[in-house]
Amino acid sequence: MARAHMGSDDMSLDNFDSFLDEDVSEEQQGPEEIVELPVLPARDTVIFPHMVAPLFVGRERSIRAVETAMARDQRVAVFTQRDQEVQGPSVDDLYPVGTEVLIGRMLRMPDGTTSVWVQGRRRVRMLGFAGDSPCVTARVETIPEVQDHSLSTEALMRAVLALFEKVVRLSRNLSDDAYVAAMNVSEPGWLADLIGSVLSLDVAQRQALLETDDVVARLQKVSIYLAKELDVLELESRIHSQVQQEVDRSQREYFLREQMRIIQNELGEGDPQAQEIAELREKVATSGMPDEARERANKELDRLATMPSGAPEVGIIRTYVDWLIGLPWSGATEDNLDIKRAAQILEDNHYGLPKAKERILEHMAVRKLAGSKMRSPILCFAGPPGTGKTSLGKSIAQALGRNFVRVSLGGIRDEAEIRGHRRTYVGALPGRIIQTMRRAGSVNPLFMLDEIDKIGMDFRGDPSAALLEVLDPEQNNAFSDHYLEVPYDLSQVMFITTANILDPVPPALRDRLEVIEFLGYVEEEKLEIARRFLVPRELEQHGLERLHITDDAVRQIIREYTCEAGVRNLERAIANICRKIARRVAEGRRAPVRVTPASLLSFLGPPEFSFGLAEEEDEVGVATGLAWTEAGGDTLTIEVSTMEGKGSLSLTGQLGDVMQESAQAALSYARAHARQLEIADIDFDKVDIHIHVPEGAIPKDGPSAGITIAVALISALTGRPVRRDVAMTGEITLRGRVLPIGGLREKLVAAYRAGIKTLVLPKKNERDLVEVPKRVLKGLQLVPVERMEEVLATALLPAPPRRAPAPRRRSATTRKGKDQPSVAVV
């Protein structure tokens, strides 16, 4: 191993004098010759001619090469390795061009290595190894140095010297001795070698410089290296100057501030920071905050007083104290407990919603009698989108005379959004609860937490768990925010939460809520809402005060252009009509002043939904069921087809596990009661049954389609058509019992909307009919049932007479033919 220390600090002016050695100079001017020299492989270094450098030799073969050279004429050939990790390099592992050096001194070191001081003499080219005993020797060919003293070369030398002078002046690693030595070199090749040996170049660049025979090309390479180095040094110097200027400016500002503070103290004007702290103390004293919070604020102000104004923590402490002062601690608005006035406000702003209105008026009545003894309720408005949950909260705040604030919780996944961040984090802030309370400006606002069912959870915590303390009357009188670190009283706040569905809400959080269901509107309610609120508001917003939209047009929009539980799409459709008419008015064209059902096609296009019966005629194997969705109720068609096969049951239409089990239970019921159903002669092992629920892109699940599947299945097996004006809902058991289901109100509204005349429902669901609007009950014939036999008697028609007797009983599909399978819809 041979390594060289080539730092510029090790190269003194005496060492640079070796570049002017006349003997070496004359010898390098000689012709080419082939000599045999010991080989010294070098790592991480390239030795140039005239270069003086120490080498540390550690490998045994390299030490023998040095000893052999010292025993002969002290000459050795130094070649740089291509790969530093190779221990025994071959010819291919060495660069082809190296340097013949003269060993001037050899010292053995205590660690077993040898230190030699070498001076480069001339370039040599490797021709091949000559032997390896007692050391590796090689035949090398000397490369003569061809001098060029033309004017262009002289100009290039001067340019290189000028660049080198700038580099030496800017570099911290090069001494002035390097430039002095370069000034005293008269040969272009020597100058290139000298500068290349002291620049911060990698091994590849140094070797490329060593292998360049032409002195002019070598000078040009050095010029390029110097230009790059000069650019880097100038940029480094510019950055250093900017940093130093910033530091000097900061120091100067610090001294000026200290002088200004002393001058102000001498003049009796006082410290501005002290005046600000005094003002903050006065605000803390008058803020009405409890003792614990006041002590914490005064403690932070004491810390602030001991800090210089330029300290980084000054802004953090000041922001914290500002938050404590800005929060409402004792200021409350006075509740307006005039119940008749509140009832009139709620009625003027909203149509329907009797349960929600009644609950608010009850709260006001108890508040009027009990005063501050009662706790504020935690209400949860649950219902489909567009049913007026958020807007009702604003009306309640108006009726009570409280400030209204709202926070949307949809998409929150970080617990810190509720409780805030601790002040140890950069840019920490309180959570949304405290931020909103500051915006409310009173301790008893109406606080609406919107979309509570849209809260998420990930590795940052569970925000719904953080809401437990907020919405628990036993705990929220001392709510703890991570940023404030002092308890805050939320017991006087009236919280109202909203949700579309309650299933995603954790049970612990749901237990703290008083749920008020917002059921979907029926057609008459939508018509009244449009007449009272939607149409006048849209006409005013679009500047069409003379336009009149008839009730028949609104009814047709409800039936054929919207399908929703709320009125959001209805409002959009009315706004769409107003925009088109407003454009005609603005363009000066003739615009209608009356919108009728006949003109809806030109404004809204063709109808998007059909209104009327779910099926056009009585069919075999087709039954109409009812479903509940987030947007309200809807009709559900179920189809059953039978065909010759191997007794398999196919279920399609994205059916969930519960609905698939209902289909299997219906099939088991049909097979178990085959004699009563007059299908005993059907061989189920040779009949394939396919149950399909259309609109397969929509997932469906639940047990309430059990009797519908059973009716469609029995219809397909018996050939008895299903009445098209009958819809049904209920869960079926293996013994044929009909069990109750949920979402009855929405399902009845959907049946009423679809034009269904008769509705089959479980008898135990009769207690839920009190929630159904009377208009819907009057338009439907309800058939409460307890057994499947009652459902079949109501839903199925007698089988049509056969034209000719068949030799044996076959499935419904077989009777029609293999290419015409019967279809049943549930």
Side-chain angles (χ1 to χ4, degrees):
M1 176 183 67
R3 297 182 184 272
H5 289 267
M6 297 169 54
S8 59
D9 295 339
D10 297 334
M11 195 158 298
S12 64
L13 186 58
D14 296 335
N15 297 335
F16 282 114
D17 290 341
S18 301
F19 281 85
L20 307 179
D21 192 329
E22 296 296 336
D23 296 337
V24 176
S25 170
E26 292 174 359
E27 189 169 332
Q28 282 204 343
Q29 298 297 333
E32 297 181 4
E33 60 175 327
I34 298 177
V35 295
E36 185 174 324
L37 295 174
V39 176
L40 181 61
R43 296 175 177 174
D44 297 333
T45 185
V46 176
I47 304 296
F48 286 93
H50 315 290
M51 174 182 173
V52 178
L55 291 178
F56 291 93
V57 184
R59 288 182 287 194
E60 184 178 352
R61 296 173 62 184
S62 300
I63 294 176
R64 289 202 303 267
V66 173
E67 292 174 347
T68 301
M70 292 298 293
R72 296 179 181 176
D73 53 0
Q74 301 181 349
R75 291 190 302 165
V76 66
V78 178
F79 291 92
T80 304
Q81 290 185 199
R82 298 180 186 272
D83 187 359
Q84 304 175 13
E85 304 300 329
V86 177
Q87 295 297 326
S90 61
V91 175
D92 295 334
D93 295 325
L94 302 176
Y95 284 105
V97 177
T99 305
E100 176 190 332
V101 302
L102 185 64
I103 301 176
R105 182 180 62 185
M106 183 179 72
L107 296 175
R108 298 184 184 276
M109 308 302 292
D111 58 356
T113 61
T114 301
S115 173
V116 294
W117 190 270
V118 299
Q119 179 181 10
R121 301 191 65 199
R122 52 188 174 181
R123 287 172 170 79
V124 292
R125 180 176 288 106
M126 171 79 71
L127 299 179
F129 284 170
D132 58 357
S133 179
C135 66
V136 177
T137 59
R139 293 187 307 107
V140 298
E141 176 187 10
T142 61
I143 302 175
E145 185 84 4
V146 179
Q147 304 298 336
D148 186 354
H149 296 283
S150 61
L151 291 178
S152 60
T153 304
E154 183 69 23
L156 183 57
M157 289 179 63
R158 292 186 181 182
V160 169
L161 275 174
L163 288 173
F164 188 53
E165 180 185 7
K166 296 178 181 178
V167 170
V168 170
R169 186 171 65 251
L170 294 176
S171 176
R172 304 175 186 175
N173 301 324
L174 296 177
S175 63
D176 294 338
D177 295 343
Y179 178 65
V180 173
M183 288 179 57
N184 289 278
V185 174
S186 59
E187 299 297 337
W190 289 16
L191 180 62
D193 292 341
L194 168 61
I195 297 176
S197 65
V198 298
L199 283 180
S200 299
L201 305 177
D202 56 30
V203 174
Q205 291 174 326
R206 290 174 180 269
Q207 183 65 32
L209 198 61
L210 182 66
E211 293 178 0
T212 305
D213 298 340
D214 185 26
V215 294
V216 177
R218 200 185 311 160
L219 273 175
Q220 290 174 347
K221 284 187 178 181
V222 170
S223 177
I224 294 173
Y225 294 152
L226 284 173
K228 291 182 179 179
E229 183 71 14
L230 182 59
D231 290 341
V232 173
L233 290 174
E234 288 178 346
L235 181 58
E236 180 182 352
S237 177
R238 191 179 307 116
I239 294 174
H240 178 73
S241 299
Q242 292 176 355
V243 172
Q244 189 63 37
Q245 288 176 2
E246 292 296 329
V247 173
D248 293 344
R249 185 183 298 110
S250 300
Q251 290 292 109
R252 184 170 61 254
E253 290 178 357
Y254 172 75
F255 288 122
L256 289 175
R257 286 196 185 96
E258 289 298 317
Q259 291 176 0
M260 184 170 58
R261 183 177 63 84
I262 295 174
I263 294 173
Q264 288 175 345
N265 290 336
E266 290 294 332
L267 295 176
E269 296 179 357
D271 188 1
Q273 183 173 344
Q275 295 179 358
E276 183 180 3
I277 293 175
E279 293 176 359
L280 291 175
R281 289 187 188 277
E282 184 179 354
K283 290 180 180 179
V284 168
T286 59
S287 63
M289 63 179 66
D291 295 338
E292 184 177 354
R294 186 183 302 107
E295 291 175 2
R296 186 59 182 268
N298 289 327
K299 183 178 179 181
E300 294 295 329
L301 290 176
D302 292 339
R303 291 182 55 206
L304 184 63
T306 61
M307 293 181 180
S309 58
E313 200 172 353
V314 168
I316 299 175
I317 296 176
R318 188 176 299 161
T319 302
Y320 175 73
V321 175
D322 287 340
W323 271 104
L324 289 178
I325 295 173
L327 285 174
W329 296 95
S330 58
T333 57
E334 184 177 356
D335 288 344
N336 189 336
L337 301 178
D338 188 346
I339 299 177
K340 293 184 178 179
R341 171 183 170 274
Q344 187 61 41
I345 291 176
L346 295 177
E347 191 64 28
D348 291 343
N349 294 343
H350 295 272
Y351 179 78
L353 308 176
K355 279 190 175 181
K357 295 177 180 177
E358 183 180 0
R359 179 63 184 87
I360 298 305
L361 297 178
E362 290 173 355
H363 165 74
M364 295 178 63
V366 176
R367 183 83 177 181
K368 187 174 183 178
L369 297 178
S372 59
K373 295 180 182 179
M374 77 164 292
R375 295 174 178 173
S376 295
I378 311 294
L379 303 180
C380 177
F381 294 163
T387 52
K389 299 183 293 296
T390 304
S391 59
L392 180 60
K394 296 180 181 178
S395 299
I396 294 172
Q398 179 184 352
L400 289 173
R402 294 194 178 191
N403 297 330
F404 176 80
V405 288
R406 172 182 169 272
V407 171
S408 178
L409 301 179
I412 290 181
R413 295 179 177 271
D414 190 356
E415 180 189 354
E417 292 283 345
I418 305 298
R419 291 188 178 274
H421 295 85
R422 299 195 183 276
R423 285 193 293 155
T424 53
Y425 294 98
V426 176
L429 283 174
R432 294 199 179 189
I433 302 298
I434 296 299
Q435 292 184 32
T436 309
M437 289 301 299
R438 181 180 181 178
R439 189 170 69 249
S442 61
V443 296
N444 62 339
L446 191 145
F447 200 125
M448 175 158 281
L449 297 171
D450 225 350
E451 309 293 350
I452 197 173
D453 57 329
K454 308 299 190 301
I455 297 177
M457 179 178 66
D458 60 9
F459 64 93
R460 292 169 290 186
D462 185 1
S464 61
L467 284 175
L468 296 178
E469 182 182 4
V470 177
L471 300 179
D472 190 348
E474 298 290 340
Q475 303 179 47
N476 61 10
N477 59 344
F479 172 68
S480 175
D481 186 273
H482 290 161
Y483 182 83
L484 294 184
E485 297 179 345
V486 293
Y488 186 80
D489 187 6
L490 295 174
S491 60
Q492 301 183 55
V493 179
M494 183 176 181
F495 286 101
I496 295 180
T497 65
T498 68
N500 295 129
I501 53 177
L502 292 175
D503 291 342
V505 181
L509 182 58
R510 194 186 315 168
D511 184 62
R512 289 161 169 79
L513 305 176
E514 181 181 344
V515 179
I516 298 177
E517 293 187 0
F518 277 51
L519 305 175
Y521 298 112
V522 297
E523 180 179 304
E524 285 72 16
E525 291 176 335
K526 292 182 180 180
L527 181 62
E528 189 64 26
I529 291 172
R531 184 187 298 119
R532 289 191 188 183
F533 306 106
L534 303 184
V535 173
R537 182 168 61 203
E538 294 300 328
L539 294 180
E540 180 182 357
Q541 291 180 356
H542 291 81
L544 302 172
E545 298 178 357
R546 297 183 180 180
L547 181 65
H548 175 64
I549 302 177
T550 65
D551 290 349
D552 292 337
V554 175
R555 191 183 301 274
Q556 186 168 344
I557 294 174
I558 296 171
R559 291 178 174 181
E560 299 183 357
Y561 291 92
T562 63
C563 182
E564 58 178 344
V567 293
R568 227 170 241 150
N569 289 328
L570 174 60
E571 185 175 8
R572 292 192 184 102
I574 296 173
N576 193 8
I577 295 174
C578 294
R579 285 196 303 270
K580 295 183 183 302
I581 296 177
R583 179 182 175 183
R584 295 185 182 182
V585 174
E587 292 177 350
R589 294 187 293 163
R590 182 178 178 182
V593 294
R594 182 182 176 86
V595 177
T596 61
S599 59
L600 291 180
L601 185 63
S602 61
F603 291 121
L604 300 178
E608 300 180 12
F609 305 97
S610 60
F611 179 80
L613 291 177
E615 299 299 328
E616 297 180 355
E617 60 183 9
D618 303 332
E619 295 187 53
V620 175
V622 179
T624 302
L626 299 172
W628 177 92
T629 66
E630 295 182 16
D634 197 2
T635 57
L636 190 70
T637 303
I638 297 181
E639 303 174 347
V640 175
S641 173
T642 61
M643 62 206 77
E644 292 183 352
K646 298 180 180 180
S648 64
L649 175 64
S650 301
L651 303 172
T652 57
Q654 280 208 62
L655 307 185
D657 294 338
V658 178
M659 200 166 182
Q660 293 182 25
E661 293 171 358
S662 297
Q664 294 171 356
L667 178 60
S668 298
Y669 170 80
R671 296 186 65 175
H673 298 77
R675 187 174 301 276
Q676 294 90 325
L677 298 174
E678 299 180 358
I679 55 174
D681 55 343
I682 294 179
D683 187 357
F684 284 93
D685 293 334
K686 296 181 179 180
V687 175
D688 287 347
I689 299 175
H690 186 177
I691 300 177
H692 176 68
V693 183
E695 298 183 0
I698 302 175
K700 311 166 191 71
D701 202 2
S704 62
I707 65 172
T708 314
I709 297 175
V711 168
L713 178 62
I714 295 171
S715 171
L717 294 174
T718 60
R720 298 175 61 182
V722 182
R723 291 174 54 186
R724 65 190 181 103
D725 61 343
V726 174
M728 60 205 76
T729 179
E731 181 180 356
I732 187 175
T733 69
L734 294 176
R735 294 177 293 170
R737 295 177 56 200
V738 180
L739 301 183
I741 45 83
L744 183 65
R745 182 187 188 276
E746 289 81 1
K747 294 178 180 179
L748 263 65
V749 171
Y752 177 76
R753 169 188 170 86
I756 299 294
K757 304 300 182 182
T758 304
L759 180 67
V760 179
L761 73 158
K763 189 173 183 60
K764 291 185 178 180
N765 278 119
E766 286 184 309
R767 60 179 180 266
D768 300 327
L769 295 177
V770 295
E771 300 179 354
V772 181
K774 294 181 180 180
R775 186 177 286 102
V776 175
L777 294 177
K778 290 180 180 179
L780 292 173
Q781 178 186 354
L782 302 181
V783 181
V785 296
E786 292 182 327
R787 300 284 305 174
M788 191 64 202
E789 292 82 358
E790 303 174 58
V791 180
L792 297 176
T794 304
L796 295 182
L797 296 173
R802 300 181 181 178
R803 295 181 179 178
R808 63 183 182 90
R809 185 69 177 272
R810 305 177 65 185
S811 66
T813 304
T814 307
R815 289 195 301 269
K816 290 188 175 182
K818 294 183 180 179
D819 298 332
Q820 297 179 356
S822 61
V823 179
V825 183
V826 177

